[in-house]
Amino acid sequence: MSKYTLKQFQTAYPNDDACLHQIFILRYGHLVSCPKCQKEPAFVKVKDRRSYQCPYCSYQVYPTVGTIFEKSTTPLTSWFMAIYLHCSTRNGVAAKELERVLSVCYKTALRMAHQIKIMMVETDFGQLMGEVMIDETYIGMLGKNMHGDRKKILLPKDANGNKKSNKIGVMGMMGKDGKIITKVLGVETHPDDTLKDIVIGNVHPDSVVVTDAYPPYKNLKKHFNKHVRVDHEKDEYVKDGFTTNNVENYWSTLKRMIKGTHIHVSKKHLSKYVAENTFRYLRRNQPEKMFEKILEKMKDNDY
């Protein structure tokens, strides 16, 4: 398992022109001639501008248009460094760290971090098939451990005057090949959706679903080829060769990232952090490919 080192990164992208050229290659590298006059070579860099121009008819293309860099005055080298840091750390990078490393204000650093996380969203896998492990976890601090002032902010009262829970549910469905579909409950799902509805919508009926003994999963056997329930309360972690350990390992990486790096994540933005964790988890054995994969998302604006 190799890594994409800082020295390699700095050699490849020493300045803004190098960064812009990489974006140009990804988005317009397939053009061998100018779309307007059809002459070759197609384009040359315009000095002091984020654009390339045909030397014959002056037709221009703007590589950053339609990307996260389009309206940003932050240097491309800073953007690329922020992407590199997201790929080179096991538990992610905090916005405060970006603020220090890039010498930008916190608001800019946070916006950059969120935009990069959006680029890390995986393409929809469609319905998972085969053996699928299903589990859920809850993110957030216990109300009893909060300071009084934070309780008022984070635990507002409902219509009946009762304190709402600060815990945010995240559901995960993982195939045997490691592909995982996650849903932040109440954010990426319909309010009326049950856990069973979410499973039915994301797992093929011919699959074998493996869950714990949580009651909402009780009647899944009616909808799938087979349903195996592993009862953790009975100290049962493997049943007939089936287990939910893999998806539970995924939860441990997610919680380690949030608690160790970000401390707190709001419900509004939690799905971005889950997407980042999924991106890193799927490439945990190929860290050297993470940076390249994020940049490739710009090829077809696939983010």
Side-chain angles (χ1 to χ4, degrees), residues 282-296:
L282 292 175
R283 294 167 182 82
R284 61 195 183 279
N285 296 322
Q286 297 176 311
E288 74 284 358
K289 295 186 177 181
M290 292 184 188
F291 183 85
E292 178 184 347
K293 181 63 177 179
I294 292 180
L295 291 186
E296 285 181 353

Side-chain angles (χ1 to χ4, degrees), residues 205-222:
D206 292 335
S207 301
V208 176
V209 294
V210 186
T211 71
D212 55 21
Y214 193 37
Y217 299 131
K218 185 175 181 180
N219 295 319
L220 282 177
K221 61 183 178 181
K222 297 179 181 179

Side-chain angles (χ1 to χ4, degrees), residues 183-197:
K183 299 291 181 181
V184 178
L185 305 178
V187 175
E188 299 179 296
T189 59
H190 190 276
D192 295 330
D193 284 347
T194 64
L195 296 183
K196 183 178 73 173
D197 294 331

Side-chain angles (χ1 to χ4, degrees), residues 12-26:
Y13 305 105
N15 51 49
D16 271 21
D17 284 349
C19 298
L20 182 66
H21 188 66
Q22 179 62 26
I23 301 170
F24 172 77
I25 293 298
L26 288 169

Side-chain angles (χ1 to χ4, degrees), residues 30-58:
H30 63 285
L31 297 178
V32 295
S33 62
C34 174
K36 185 176 181 180
C37 68
Q38 303 300 316
K39 292 184 178 180
E40 301 177 21
F43 298 99
V44 293
K45 171 73 171 58
V46 178
K47 185 178 180 180
D48 298 327
R49 296 185 65 185
R50 290 182 177 180
S51 65
Y52 283 73
Q53 179 175 286
C54 173
Y56 302 102
C57 67
S58 299

